[in-house]
């Protein structure tokens, strides 16, 4: 693997999932692989899980880790030819090249604006780091994708699946803030490549980009969609069509124990209790959100291992 900005950077998903599960059993087996190698992590936005699990994964491989909250740095300029006489102090062309001198791998978190669809879906920040750093880049959640989360989710489904072809449903849920489509996009991409019976349910108007959903079934009736599900992945996202807008906060879409029935409950976290999902679900044995968060380490570790092997 040369980089991990998208799940399409994985050549064989089932092999990668199996490798992650093996790494989970013996996390320090490749401790020598990252000796004298440095991971620099850049955060344009807040994080709990991604920051800690990726650092833990890198350290399990023997890497050194440096982390920069980019808001505590210079404001970066990404446009070519700009007269930089306003708020940006340093151009990505210099910044990326400088950081690349300190790092063997750069990992970046940069959320979307949710104001300019074309700009967000062009993935300017992550592609600029890839272009100008000329070293491997790992996506820690970008404007449109969260591929490490999707890999952790796939590992978790693999671990908990009782059937060869489990029924997996991605359900939209209400949220008071406009959130990115990135987690949903990457989860859809991942499920399309796994042996699962997959569908999406959301209120009308919340359709994801058709390049993402392709032929995946969409049902506007949540109750009908969740029937006989083995896994229910719950996530809010803001509208893609009416870009970045909150079209409804209808609490009838909140996940309850009654709706979930015997399905496993999945969410990437952080989650708003009694808005997205009721307490009874999160506090039940059918909630596997903590297992998902644990698997973030092994998703990051299998990715970093594969990149290190190709340096
Ligand atoms: N799921 C996830 O990416 O969590 P953080 O935002 O805390 O990193």
């Amino acid at each position: 693997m040369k980089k991990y900005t998208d799940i399409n950077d994985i050549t064989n998903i089932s092999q990668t999932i199996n490798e992650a599960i093996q790494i989970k059993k013996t996390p320090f087996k490749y401790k020598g692989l990252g000796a004298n190698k440095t991971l620099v992590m850049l955060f344009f936005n807040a994080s709990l899980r991604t920051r800690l699990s990726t650092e833990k994964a890198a350290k399990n491989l023997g890497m050194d880790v440096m982390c920069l909250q980019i808001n505590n740095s210079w404001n970066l300029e990404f446009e070519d030819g700009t007269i930089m006489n306003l708020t940006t102090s340093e151009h990505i062309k210099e910044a990326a090249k400088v950081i690349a001198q300190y790092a063997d791998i750069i990992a970046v978190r940069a959320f979307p604006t949710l104001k300019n669809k074309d700009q967000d879906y062009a993935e300017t920040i992550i592609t600029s780091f890839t272009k100008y750093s000329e070293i491997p880049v790992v996506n820690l959640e970008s404007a449109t994708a969260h591929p490490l989360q999707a890999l952790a989710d796939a590992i978790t489904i693999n671990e908990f699946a009782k059937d060869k072809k489990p029924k997996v449903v991605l359900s939209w849920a209400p949220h008071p803030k406009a959130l990115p489509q990135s987690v949903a996009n990457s989860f859809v991409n991942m499920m399309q490549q796994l042996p699962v019976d997959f569908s999406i349910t959301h209120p009308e108007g919340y359709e994801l980009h058709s390049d993402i959903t392709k032929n995946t079934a969409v049902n506007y009736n949540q109750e009908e969609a969740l029937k006989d599900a083995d896994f229910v992945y719950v996530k809010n996202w803001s509208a893609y069509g009416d870009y970045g807008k909150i079209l409804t906060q209808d609490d009838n879409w909140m996940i309850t124990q009654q709706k979930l029935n015997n399905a496993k409950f999945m969410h990437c976290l952080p989650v708003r209790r009694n808005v997205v999902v009721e307490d009874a679900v999160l506090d039940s044995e059918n909630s596997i959100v903590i297992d998902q968060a644990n698997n973030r380490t092994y998703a990051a570790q299998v990715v970093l291992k594969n990149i290190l092997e190709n340096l």
Side-chain angles (χ1 to χ4, degrees):
M1 197 184 283
K2 300 274 186 217
K3 65 175 180 68
Y4 189 59
T5 55
D6 192 274
I7 67 164
N8 295 323
D9 291 319
I10 300 175
T11 45
N12 185 327
I13 287 185
S14 68
Q15 192 179 306
T16 304
I17 292 169
N18 289 334
E19 193 182 355
I21 291 170
Q22 286 310 313
I23 288 171
K24 189 173 179 177
K25 289 177 188 155
T26 53
F28 308 115
K29 187 174 172 184
Y30 302 99
K31 190 91 182 170
L33 192 61
N36 304 320
K37 304 284 187 226
T38 302
L39 172 70
V40 169
M41 297 201 289
L42 306 172
F43 284 88
F44 287 81
N45 310 94
S47 169
L48 187 156
R49 280 143 289 273
T50 304
R51 178 167 172 172
L52 296 179
S53 63
T54 309
E55 180 162 345
K56 183 171 161 71
K59 287 181 172 169
N60 285 352
L61 292 164
M63 296 185 81
D64 289 323
V65 181
M66 294 194 286
C67 191
L68 183 67
Q69 194 68 37
I70 210 93
N71 301 341
N72 297 334
S73 161
W74 304 113
N75 281 340
L76 295 183
E77 177 63 53
F78 289 88
E79 294 229 354
D80 247 350
T82 319
I83 299 168
M84 288 169 56
N85 59 356
L86 293 173
T87 55
T88 53
S89 307
E90 178 159 14
H91 202 279
I92 183 65
K93 289 183 182 178
E94 286 78 50
K97 284 188 202 315
V98 168
I99 294 164
Q101 295 180 114
Y102 312 144
D104 297 280
I105 301 173
I106 299 177
V108 182
R109 164 163 285 198
F111 289 170
T113 61
L114 292 179
K115 291 185 170 67
N116 185 329
K117 184 194 288 191
D118 292 341
Q119 193 182 317
D120 287 346
Y121 272 70
E123 289 283 16
T124 308
I125 297 181
I126 207 109
T127 53
S128 297
F129 274 104
T130 305
K131 180 175 174 187
Y132 295 117
S133 74
E134 297 183 37
I135 67 169
V137 170
V138 173
N139 184 339
L140 299 176
E141 188 173 346
S142 63
T144 72
H146 198 352
L148 282 175
Q149 180 68 52
L151 181 54
D153 298 336
I155 296 165
T156 311
I157 289 173
N158 186 292
E159 287 178 329
F160 281 89
K162 290 195 179 117
D163 291 338
K164 277 216 168 97
K165 194 173 180 188
K167 177 172 173 178
V168 180
V169 183
L170 169 65
S171 177
W172 181 92
H175 198 283
K177 275 177 68 182
L179 297 184
Q181 293 111 30
S182 50
V183 169
N185 286 345
S186 290
F187 187 73
V188 172
N189 278 338
M190 182 60 86
M191 291 305 111
Q192 287 165 341
Q193 300 188 47
L194 294 183
V196 295
D197 168 9
F198 179 58
S199 61
I200 308 172
T201 182
H202 58 69
E204 286 191 55
Y206 277 97
E207 291 77 11
L208 295 164
H209 192 329
S210 58
D211 285 356
I212 303 277
T213 50
K214 300 188 180 103
N215 295 325
T216 299
V218 175
N219 190 337
Y220 297 128
N221 183 326
Q222 189 193 42
E223 194 183 329
E224 205 177 280
L226 299 191
K227 197 167 174 294
D228 299 326
D230 297 299
F231 295 90
V232 178
Y233 197 104
V234 181
K235 184 72 186 85
N236 170 272
W237 61 88
S238 58
Y240 172 76
D242 197 356
Y243 192 64
K245 296 283 185 312
I246 296 176
L247 306 178
T248 176
Q249 295 198 54
D250 183 356
D251 59 13
N252 285 316
W253 279 80
M254 181 176 80
I255 295 295
T256 61
Q257 186 59 54
Q258 192 189 0
K259 286 184 195 174
L260 191 68
N261 203 4
N262 290 322
K264 295 292 182 197
F265 172 79
M266 300 182 74
H267 190 285
C268 60
L269 302 181
V271 67
R272 296 208 182 206
R273 282 176 173 254
N274 304 310
V275 175
V276 172
V277 55
E278 68 174 5
D279 280 339
V281 172
L282 272 172
D283 296 334
S284 78
E285 291 199 344
N286 279 335
S287 172
I288 55 172
V289 297
I290 305 301
D291 303 271
Q292 279 175 268
N294 187 32
N295 283 332
R296 291 294 309 274
T297 299
Y298 308 105
Q301 201 167 328
V302 73
V303 164
L304 292 173
K305 174 180 174 287
N306 276 283
I307 293 174
L308 286 169
E309 285 168 344
N310 280 286
L311 283 179

